[in-house]
Amino acid sequence: MSHAHTNLRRVPVQQRSADRLARILDAGAELLDETGYEQLSTRAVADRAGVPIGSVYRFFPNKRALVDALAERNLEVYAGRIVARLEAIPEREWREAIDAVLDEYLAMKRSVAGFSLVDFGPPVPASGPIDVEANRRVAERLTELLSGHLGRGREEAVSAERLLRTVVVCVQAADALLQLAFRADPVGDPDLIAETRILLRAYLAGVLG
């Protein structure tokens, strides 16, 4: 099932259009790091991407839609990186799987353009609420990817509904703690990150046994 491009005015069909879309998203991500969301403009994105402003509007009606598409792309990249990591982790080894999920998020937070402001949802003020809808999307995707490692597929397995609820709790808790960790330190406060890992493992041990 495809999870990409749900916010586009027009889904690219030809490779040339797909490449142009990628340049636009890359430019938006770079400018988010340089100027922040409030100062981001579609004109600046077009100039940075080297495309006419009409090319930006062909895909996006406004900068919010562009940022939403960037968040979707981030989730696709994140999912791909997790899949690659899980291939080397035996099923039922849920601790290693959770470490991979956390480690890949931290790696993207530190290295992917725009990710510090827009990971899987639009930016919110530092004092604003957590984006519950975005976290739900992340949890649903992670549940798909992690079901084998988190106890599905045997008689005593965690039910699909319980598993999703468990992952939702993990994502919500980790999001709040990691926001705090990266607010305290640009590369993530190591003590808060360590506590996040402990919390996730302890909670999942209580659910999965």
Side-chain angles (χ1 to χ4, degrees):
M1 179 172 59
S2 175
H3 297 259
H5 303 318
T6 59
N7 289 310
L8 295 182
R9 271 181 163 175
R10 177 180 300 178
V11 176
V13 177
Q14 298 180 344
Q15 187 61 44
R16 180 180 177 183
S17 294
D19 292 342
R20 179 169 292 187
L21 173 60
R23 291 206 310 275
I24 291 169
L25 291 175
D26 289 344
E30 292 170 3
L31 287 168
L32 280 169
D33 281 343
E34 295 172 14
T35 69
Y37 178 74
E38 293 302 323
Q39 299 303 315
L40 183 69
S41 71
T42 51
R43 169 62 66 184
V45 170
D47 291 344
R48 177 64 62 89
V51 301
I53 186 67
S55 293
V56 177
Y57 288 125
R58 185 173 300 146
F59 293 114
F60 308 109
N62 50 48
K63 71 176 183 180
R64 172 58 187 264
L66 188 154
V67 167
D68 285 345
L70 182 61
E72 288 190 0
R73 186 176 74 166
N74 286 341
L75 183 53
E76 289 302 306
V77 172
Y78 181 54
R81 292 172 68 150
I82 290 172
V83 167
R85 288 283 296 272
L86 292 180
E87 289 178 353
I89 300 174
E91 288 201 353
R92 316 296 178 226
E93 294 293 337
W94 63 264
R95 291 173 181 83
E96 290 184 46
I98 291 302
D99 282 345
V101 167
L102 181 57
D103 290 343
E104 289 302 326
Y105 179 83
L106 294 172
M108 291 184 69
K109 191 82 168 175
R110 293 164 178 157
S111 64
V112 174
F115 200 83
S116 61
L117 280 181
V118 177
D119 48 17
F120 310 122
V124 295
S127 59
I130 291 173
D131 189 341
V132 176
E133 182 180 343
N135 281 345
R136 177 78 180 194
R137 289 195 301 271
V138 175
E140 290 173 349
R141 194 68 186 278
L142 288 177
T143 301
E144 293 177 19
L145 300 178
L146 293 171
S147 60
H149 291 81
L150 299 185
R152 295 278 299 282
R154 58 189 182 192
E155 289 185 3
E156 68 273 22
V158 178
S159 70
E161 181 181 356
R162 178 71 188 281
L163 183 60
L164 176 58
R165 185 166 65 248
T166 297
V167 178
V168 167
V169 170
C170 289
V171 170
Q172 290 287 119
D175 187 19
L177 287 168
L178 293 176
Q179 281 189 35
L180 182 60
F182 281 87
R183 202 172 298 150
D185 186 326
V187 296
D189 181 282
D191 293 331
L192 285 173
I193 290 171
E195 293 294 332
T196 302
R197 198 181 303 272
I198 291 169
L199 182 147
L200 293 176
R201 284 187 166 204
Y203 171 65
L204 285 169
V207 174
L208 301 176

